[in-house]
Amino acid sequence: EPEVTQTPSHQVTQMGQEVILRCVPISNHLYFYWYRQILGQKVEFLVSFYNNEISEKSEIFDDQFSVERPDGSNFTLKIRSTKLEDSAMYFCASRARTIGRYEQYFGPGTRLTVT
Amino acid sequence: AQTVTQSQPEMSVQEAETVTLSCTYDTSESDYYLFWYKQPPSRQMILVIRQEAYKQQNATENRFSVNFQKAAKSFSLKISDSQLGDAAMYFCAYRGPNYGGSQGNLIFGKGTKLSVKP
């Protein structure tokens, strides 16, 4: 069964450094999302992406964040200058463009630790 | 703004028994979608079940079923014949309708931690 994959599984970085989190969505999916989950808290929406542009973004997704689909398979989240409070689990999700099928499929997540 | 509330931070069930996890939500929309996701210790988010608001029939997936009460804005998850592998965090999630360019981001509740006792 096709699945969303994410790399790396765990990233440790120093405050102020740039990180890029990578995701490979399910191949025939057209809508892509990033969510984050701070340890012990609920999952929060960051951004959605469709047709090579951002569709929606939350308040969390400020100028330090950017997303890109550099080729036909990868979907990346970049944090330009990481802060301690960016430490969280980051989930990529994708969904198909099938009317009536709106469920999103999540990747296994990347745990980001900012020291 | 839409909100999702899970009022049970933790629940416990005996193996082979049935447990119900509660979820309520607030929305002014009439067309929307609801989901339950399971998050085991690995922290992977796994879709358990989905419900379209326009459907009156409650969704069922094997041992998992929902009790969807649209007027009460309630969406509970029932797990029958609980197994040790069901132990996880369970998140209720809401997705609004598709319009105005919205691609339907999910709004999650805070989760319920389910323990299964052997």
Side-chain angles (χ1 to χ4, degrees), chain B residues 10-117:
Chain B
E10 295 188 30
M11 290 283 284
S12 181
V13 64
Q14 204 73 32
E15 197 175 5
E17 297 293 308
T18 296
V19 64
T20 299
L21 308 185
S22 301
C23 173
T24 58
Y25 56 94
D26 189 26
T27 183
S28 58
E29 304 289 349
S30 58
D31 181 27
Y32 49 87
Y33 305 83
L34 297 163
F35 306 89
W36 279 96
Y37 282 88
K38 171 185 176 181
Q39 187 180 46
S42 65
R43 299 190 74 182
Q44 168 99 48
M45 295 287 286
I46 302 165
L47 177 67
V48 175
I49 199 165
R50 68 185 184 121
Q51 174 80 45
E52 295 89 343
Y54 64 85
K55 288 186 177 178
Q56 291 188 333
Q57 188 173 7
N58 289 324
T60 299
E61 288 287 340
N62 301 313
R63 297 183 296 107
F64 298 87
S65 61
V66 299
N67 183 5
F68 173 50
Q69 302 288 329
K70 191 172 184 180
K73 295 180 183 173
S74 169
F75 181 60
S76 60
L77 174 70
K78 185 170 85 170
I79 307 174
S80 304
D81 185 26
S82 297
Q83 299 174 0
L84 295 177
D86 295 333
M89 281 291 283
Y90 285 83
F91 291 96
C92 178
Y94 165 96
R95 180 204 188 274
N98 249 8
Y99 61 70
S102 167
Q103 301 305 338
N105 53 287
L106 297 174
I107 299 169
F108 286 87
K110 290 187 176 181
T112 295
K113 183 177 181 181
L114 178 66
S115 302
V116 181
K117 297 179 182 175

Side-chain angles (χ1 to χ4, degrees), chain A residues 31 33 35 37 39 42-43 45 48 50 55-56 89 91 95 100-108 111, chain B residues 4 33 35 37 39 42-45 47 50 52 54 91 95 98 101-106 108-110:
Chain A
Y31 301 92
Y33 308 82
Y35 293 83
Q37 183 185 30
L39 187 62
K42 65 179 176 181
V43 179
F45 167 73
S48 61
Y50 169 69
S55 308
E56 283 178 288
M89 197 78 167
F91 292 101
R95 74 169 176 91
R101 298 303 301 262
Y102 297 115
E103 58 266 33
Q104 296 175 22
Y105 292 90
F106 284 74
R111 181 187 298 179
Chain B
V4 177
Y33 305 83
F35 306 89
Y37 282 88
Q39 187 180 46
S42 65
R43 299 190 74 182
Q44 168 99 48
M45 295 287 286
L47 177 67
R50 68 185 184 121
E52 295 89 343
Y54 64 85
F91 291 96
R95 180 204 188 274
N98 249 8
S102 167
Q103 301 305 338
N105 53 287
L106 297 174
F108 286 87
K110 290 187 176 181

Side-chain angles (χ1 to χ4, degrees), chain A residues 83-103:
Chain A
K83 308 185 193 87
L84 293 176
E85 54 265 37
D86 292 328
S87 293
M89 197 78 167
Y90 287 81
F91 292 101
C92 172
S94 70
R95 74 169 176 91
R97 193 188 178 184
T98 306
I99 293 174
R101 298 303 301 262
Y102 297 115
E103 58 266 33

Side-chain angles (χ1 to χ4, degrees), chain A residues 20-63:
Chain A
I20 297 176
L21 310 182
R22 291 183 167 78
C23 167
V24 178
I26 294 173
S27 64
N28 62 344
H29 285 189
L30 297 177
Y31 301 92
F32 313 114
Y33 308 82
W34 282 101
Y35 293 83
R36 82 167 184 195
Q37 183 185 30
I38 295 171
L39 187 62
Q41 298 188 24
K42 65 179 176 181
V43 179
E44 301 172 291
F45 167 73
L46 292 178
V47 65
S48 61
F49 191 86
Y50 169 69
N51 201 24
N52 281 321
E53 60 183 24
I54 291 173
S55 308
E56 283 178 288
K57 57 184 181 180
S58 71
E59 306 173 335
I60 305 167
F61 194 88
D62 61 21
D63 293 343

